[in-house]
Amino acid sequence: MSDAIQVPKAELHCHIEGAAPATLVTRLAGKYGVDVSGILDGNGKYLWSDFTTFLKAYDLASSVFRTPADYALLAETYFRMLAAEGAIYGEIFVSPDHAQATGLSYRSYVEGLATGIERAKNETAIEGRMIAIGVRHFGSAAVERVVKEVIGNPHPLVTGFGLAGDERSGHPANFSKAFRMASEAGLGTTAHAGEFGGADSVLAALEFLRVKRIGHGVRAIEDRDLVKRLAEEGIVLEVCPGSNIALGVYTHLRFHPVNMLRKEGVKITLNSDDPPYFGTTLGKEYASVAETFGWSFEDQMAVTRTAIEAAFCDEATRKRLLVRLDSAKQAPIG
């Protein structure tokens, strides 16, 4: 477990609204007169029992973030927490649809988050980027609208585009136009698949969206040919073990396929998804997976390297991050 503290970490899969600590939500709820007693237990824990109630709690908690300053505070808080656990890089999924629901323009939303990321960077040297997501169950027109907004309002820290929402809603073919637009604009692309959807959902995301990264993707293990393809094509999986267990995709970490996928040569990263909802953090993900599967310091370093190499950032930043990673490799603390 002590090794996990020393390993420099990198995260590619975290929803920023889903990373809001209960204390911050409670504080802003008081400011805006929002009743959040039904989703918080008073001890800093979110209350939900299944995916439907999780989404309900998520949306209510998200509704207390209403101004660019609120979002700056959220981003700064999260990136400082990441840095405190040894992370040197983090990508957050940002949801223009959530911002719109509270009356914020896309530009104001992103500028607020960027302010927070920069404040955290100034204090801790952590690098951060944003991936704008379309919500698949809102339909293809809504997802295309998000892409157009991202392309029309470029920001140096918004470097990717992704697809989230209910995997059982809308075939990836419906979103191929949106992903083509994102790729042509130079954005990195990723899509949630292989979490609640089976191996076929991963295959469809590869075929129709042409992504090089898959959010979750762990149920690819159910198709040996697909696992082989992932390994051969170097597709990176943004694996979120704690999330998968909390949501009942797997019953226990020892039954999670993250280790099997890695042994088959699939590129995997470790991520926290919606950390306070699932009782996890990025540091806990590294520590628990390393302990359960006997991963060494070097194994964990390799996971971070995979994340940095797959990150949606410019090459100069990537090189700096790899130098930081390599310097940690020279002198792990005993």
Side-chain angles (χ1 to χ4, degrees):
M1 292 282 276
S2 60
D3 269 359
I5 298 164
Q6 305 145 19
V7 176
K9 302 168 186 73
E11 180 163 65
L12 303 183
H13 189 115
C14 179
H15 299 264
I16 189 57
E17 283 84 3
T23 48
L24 181 55
V25 169
T26 302
R27 195 165 114 206
L28 289 177
K31 177 181 174 182
Y32 294 119
V34 178
D35 180 8
V36 292
S37 59
I39 63 164
L40 290 168
D41 70 355
N43 296 314
K45 278 191 169 181
Y46 284 97
L47 299 170
W48 57 274
S49 56
D50 56 21
F51 195 55
T52 304
T53 53
F54 159 67
L55 290 177
K56 191 177 173 186
Y58 185 105
D59 287 342
L60 180 58
S62 299
S63 75
V64 307
F65 296 95
R66 301 188 173 183
T67 68
D70 294 341
Y71 276 107
L73 185 57
L74 173 56
E76 181 183 8
T77 300
Y78 185 62
F79 276 90
R80 278 175 173 270
M81 285 167 59
L82 273 184
E85 292 194 310
I88 59 175
Y89 182 78
E91 287 178 3
I92 52 172
F93 290 122
V94 304
S95 174
D97 292 300
H98 272 100
Q100 191 178 44
T102 57
L104 261 191
S105 71
Y106 170 76
R107 189 186 289 266
S108 298
Y109 171 59
V110 164
E111 285 174 354
L113 289 165
T115 297
I117 292 171
E118 290 296 339
R119 286 203 300 240
K121 180 181 176 178
N122 289 340
E123 291 294 321
T124 69
I126 191 170
E127 285 283 351
R129 297 292 186 273
M130 293 179 255
I131 302 170
I133 53 170
V135 180
R136 66 192 300 159
H137 56 261
F138 289 171
S140 58
V143 173
E144 285 167 25
R145 189 170 65 244
V146 171
V147 179
K148 287 172 185 168
E149 205 146 34
V150 175
I151 295 168
N153 297 277
H155 190 285
L157 295 188
V158 180
T159 54
F161 175 73
L163 185 67
D166 191 340
E167 277 180 43
R168 298 159 292 190
S169 174
H171 192 276
N174 301 348
F175 309 106
S176 58
K177 181 184 175 187
F179 274 75
R180 191 167 62 249
M181 289 164 66
S183 294
E184 286 171 358
L187 296 167
T189 57
T190 178
H192 284 53
E195 179 190 18
F196 290 104
D200 57 325
S201 69
V202 177
L203 192 58
L206 294 176
E207 291 296 318
F208 293 99
L209 307 180
R210 306 286 182 201
V211 290
K212 293 292 182 204
R213 277 172 37 185
I214 296 279
H216 298 287
V218 286
R219 290 187 60 194
I221 200 71
E222 296 162 17
D223 181 335
R224 284 204 63 80
D225 288 340
L226 176 57
V227 171
K228 192 178 174 195
R229 176 177 172 182
L230 293 176
E232 286 175 352
E233 294 185 11
I235 304 297
V236 175
L237 301 187
E238 304 156 5
V239 183
C240 311
S243 164
N244 295 159
I245 289 148
L247 289 169
V249 181
Y250 299 98
T251 55
H252 194 281
L253 184 55
R254 68 178 177 273
F255 302 135
H256 194 282
V258 61
N259 198 45
M260 282 162 48
L261 287 162
R262 188 169 167 272
K263 281 182 174 176
E264 292 291 335
V266 178
K267 292 186 173 182
I268 66 105
T269 61
L270 293 175
N271 310 275
S272 64
D273 204 6
D274 303 286
Y277 288 86
F278 303 142
T280 193
T281 66
L282 183 62
K284 278 187 185 177
E285 294 298 319
Y286 270 74
S288 61
V289 170
E291 185 173 43
T292 300
F293 299 112
W295 289 6
S296 66
F297 177 86
E298 288 74 20
D299 292 334
Q300 295 169 71
M301 290 284 280
V303 168
T304 301
R305 179 174 293 276
T306 295
I308 292 170
E309 287 173 348
F312 296 154
C313 66
D314 56 281
E315 289 309 311
T317 299
R318 195 186 323 281
K319 282 178 183 166
R320 281 200 307 275
L321 291 167
L322 289 171
V323 166
R324 286 176 69 181
L325 186 66
D326 287 335
S327 65
K329 194 175 181 180
Q330 306 303 319
I333 304 161

